[in-house]
Amino acid sequence: MKRITVLKFGGSSVASIEKIKAISEYLKKRTENNEKLLVVVSAMGKTTDSLLKQAAEITADPDIRELDTLLAVGEQNTISLMAINLNHIGVPARSLTGMQAGIKTFGQHTKSRIANIDSEFILKELEKFDVLVVAGFQGVNENKEITTLGRGGSDTSAVALATAIAAPCEIYTDVTGVFGTDPRLYPEAKQLEQVSYEEMLELSALGAGVLETRCVEIAKNYHVPIYLAKTLSEKKGTWIMENIDLLEKKVVTGVALDKNILHVTLTCNGCSPDFVEKLFNELDTQSVNIDMISQVVVGSNINISFTCKKTDKHFLERVITNLSSAFPSIESTIREDCAKLSIVGSGMRDVSGVAARAFRLLGKNDILFYQVTTSEISISYAIDENNAEKAVQLFCEEFNI
């Protein structure tokens, strides 16, 4: 039996016909080395942005079911072109949409989640073809409607497929691997040879942007090692794996910066105790992912602050509107000029003094923070966006990132 490997190529890697041809030649060499390949691809270049722009020219609030149908076109374009080219150069290949690949989803349109995958069908198709080219980012729900998984969903598709067929997963993009922080913010940042699922999960969730959070979560839950590297590069990439397999554990592994956040404060004076419950029910109904939650209660006066993605602003406004009808005294402040700065490291749970160094560094450099949250392996701050890049550089120097 030939070895099966899942490979994923991002949008910048397949941004032109020339790039698709180059990747096809690489895939051909892999198949000649006794491999069967399941290749997950994104839309070419900025195709998704272009499709969103077209919809925005019609309305600022498009129907999300129709938006999913529109956005799925991007990946279908890529899979067809790659399969055409593979067959042209003598590699038996077939393209599959998310629906054809049996990627079943649930949840709200534009941010659906994967329920299960028809692995039996995929394995049978791999007996007939050397390469299956699957559209990432999409699937089909119980109503047979096309759904999408949200930005970065192709990473999730790839790891979920690898899990379903018990294969290793390689993700190729335009970076050589995982760095301690974004090299554009701190050029001296070091590339990591290995990073634990736990640390990568924190870095992704906190805004590092290298891998989509859900894909790391699936890999962690099902023990699927991920290899992240630059497309068609000879340079070694980064392995994301179990914490126990790491050769060296740093106190602070990385610094993450997320500028795509809203800092939200809701104040309700004279509110009934069920205010908080109804708030979180509304956030859940609108699928608004929140972070950095803090609450202050004085008598019947409740003050809650949290952060969420700027892309969820429309859904957040619906939440506030719905709450206002039940709680007329509610006041809301939404700040768009904030950033979330985080330090992450599995060694933090065993070494004292990391928090003291971090707070001292911010204070010494007059960088104010509006909210702070911690986990066993991370500390996150909501700070002014105009101080964000300076803070990244300070933390990287302090912790030798």
Side-chain angles (χ1 to χ4, degrees):
M1 179 71 180
K2 291 186 176 181
R3 185 161 60 98
I4 300 173
T5 308
V6 176
L7 294 84
K8 181 260 177 177
F9 294 93
S12 59
S13 300
V14 293
S16 66
I17 297 298
E18 289 71 25
K19 290 186 175 184
I20 288 174
K21 286 182 176 180
I23 289 172
S24 298
E25 291 292 343
Y26 169 74
L27 298 176
K28 182 177 182 179
K29 291 177 184 175
R30 295 278 295 255
T31 60
E32 290 170 348
N33 196 30
N34 207 35
E35 276 189 278
K36 294 272 190 175
L37 304 175
L38 184 59
V39 180
V40 178
V41 293
S42 299
M44 295 173 68
K46 301 292 184 182
T47 300
T48 301
D49 290 335
S50 176
L51 292 169
L52 285 169
K53 186 177 179 181
Q54 289 176 23
E57 289 176 6
I58 298 172
T59 173
D61 186 21
D63 180 88
I64 54 175
R65 178 193 179 277
E66 302 307 328
L67 197 58
D68 269 357
T69 305
L70 172 67
L71 296 181
V73 171
E75 282 70 22
Q76 289 170 206
N77 178 33
T78 315
I79 61 171
S80 302
L81 292 170
M82 185 168 284
I84 287 169
N85 192 67
L86 285 165
N87 283 298
H88 174 66
I89 62 175
V91 181
R94 168 159 289 184
S95 65
L96 297 172
T97 66
M99 180 186 289
Q100 290 170 326
I103 301 174
K104 299 178 178 66
T105 65
F106 68 97
Q108 186 168 297
H109 280 284
T110 73
K111 49 173 78 176
S112 292
R113 299 177 72 87
I114 296 175
N116 57 70
I117 293 174
D118 187 354
S119 57
E120 186 178 341
F121 168 76
I122 290 170
L123 291 171
K124 282 182 178 178
E125 288 295 287
L126 281 170
E127 291 175 6
K128 306 177 207 172
F129 301 93
D130 286 345
V131 180
L132 295 180
V133 190
V134 180
F137 176 67
Q138 61 179 250
V140 59
N141 65 17
E142 68 276 10
N143 299 318
K144 296 185 177 180
E145 296 173 324
I146 295 171
T147 58
T148 64
L149 307 177
R151 283 305 181 114
S154 293
D155 290 344
T156 305
S157 301
V159 176
L161 285 162
T163 300
I165 63 173
C169 184
E170 302 172 11
I171 295 180
Y172 293 98
T173 180
D174 54 0
V175 296
T176 56
V178 180
F179 285 77
T181 196
D182 188 338
R184 292 171 297 184
L185 301 176
Y186 186 65
E188 292 81 14
K190 302 174 184 68
Q191 182 176 320
L192 306 171
E193 289 185 16
Q194 303 168 324
V195 61
S196 70
Y197 293 129
E198 194 177 32
E199 290 170 321
M200 194 69 243
L201 197 57
E202 289 274 358
L203 287 167
S204 296
L206 297 171
V210 181
L211 281 178
E212 204 275 336
T213 306
R214 285 178 297 168
C215 99
V216 183
E217 193 172 42
I218 294 170
K220 178 177 182 290
N221 291 341
Y222 294 95
H223 313 289
V224 177
I226 301 174
Y227 181 66
L228 180 73
K230 187 171 184 176
T231 304
L232 305 181
S233 171
E234 295 295 323
K235 183 166 182 179
K236 281 188 177 181
T238 301
W239 280 101
I240 297 100
M241 58 178 66
E242 296 280 3
N243 192 41
I244 56 173
D245 296 330
L246 296 181
L247 295 174
E248 182 183 355
K249 298 176 186 176
K250 294 181 66 177
V251 176
V252 175
T253 301
V255 177
L257 178 64
D258 188 358
K259 292 184 178 181
N260 180 33
I261 70 159
L262 300 173
H263 186 259
V264 184
T265 301
L266 300 178
T267 304
C268 191
N269 296 321
C271 279
S272 56
D274 63 344
F275 168 72
V276 175
E277 179 188 352
K278 289 186 176 178
L279 166 62
F280 285 98
N281 283 340
E282 284 289 340
L283 290 166
D284 182 48
T285 299
Q286 298 296 332
S287 297
V288 177
N289 250 339
I290 62 173
D291 190 18
M292 300 188 73
I293 311 165
S294 64
Q295 174 181 312
V296 177
V297 179
V298 180
S300 61
N301 299 330
I302 301 172
N303 183 293
I304 293 181
S305 293
F306 58 86
T307 58
C308 68
K309 294 293 186 184
K310 284 182 180 176
T311 48
D312 280 336
K313 185 178 181 183
H314 177 70
F315 299 105
L316 176 67
E317 289 171 342
R318 286 185 188 173
V319 169
I320 294 170
T321 298
N322 293 342
L323 278 176
S324 296
S325 59
F327 303 96
S329 66
I330 189 173
E331 295 181 6
S332 62
T333 302
I334 301 175
R335 293 191 56 178
E336 299 188 45
D337 58 347
C338 282
K340 180 169 63 176
L341 176 74
S342 309
I343 57 174
V344 177
S346 58
M348 287 169 62
R349 58 162 64 94
D350 303 316
V351 178
S352 62
V354 176
R357 287 168 67 184
F359 280 97
R360 189 161 55 242
L361 192 65
L362 292 177
K364 189 168 73 173
N365 289 277
D366 298 321
I367 298 175
L368 300 176
F369 57 90
Y370 303 101
Q371 200 166 359
V372 61
T373 57
T374 64
S375 75
E376 275 193 313
I377 66 167
S378 71
I379 306 172
S380 297
Y381 302 90
I383 63 176
D384 286 328
E385 189 174 343
N386 58 8
N387 281 326
E389 294 184 14
K390 175 186 175 183
V392 168
Q393 293 170 5
L394 289 168
F395 275 136
C396 287
E397 290 168 3
E398 176 74 16
F399 294 104
N400 190 31
I401 300 301

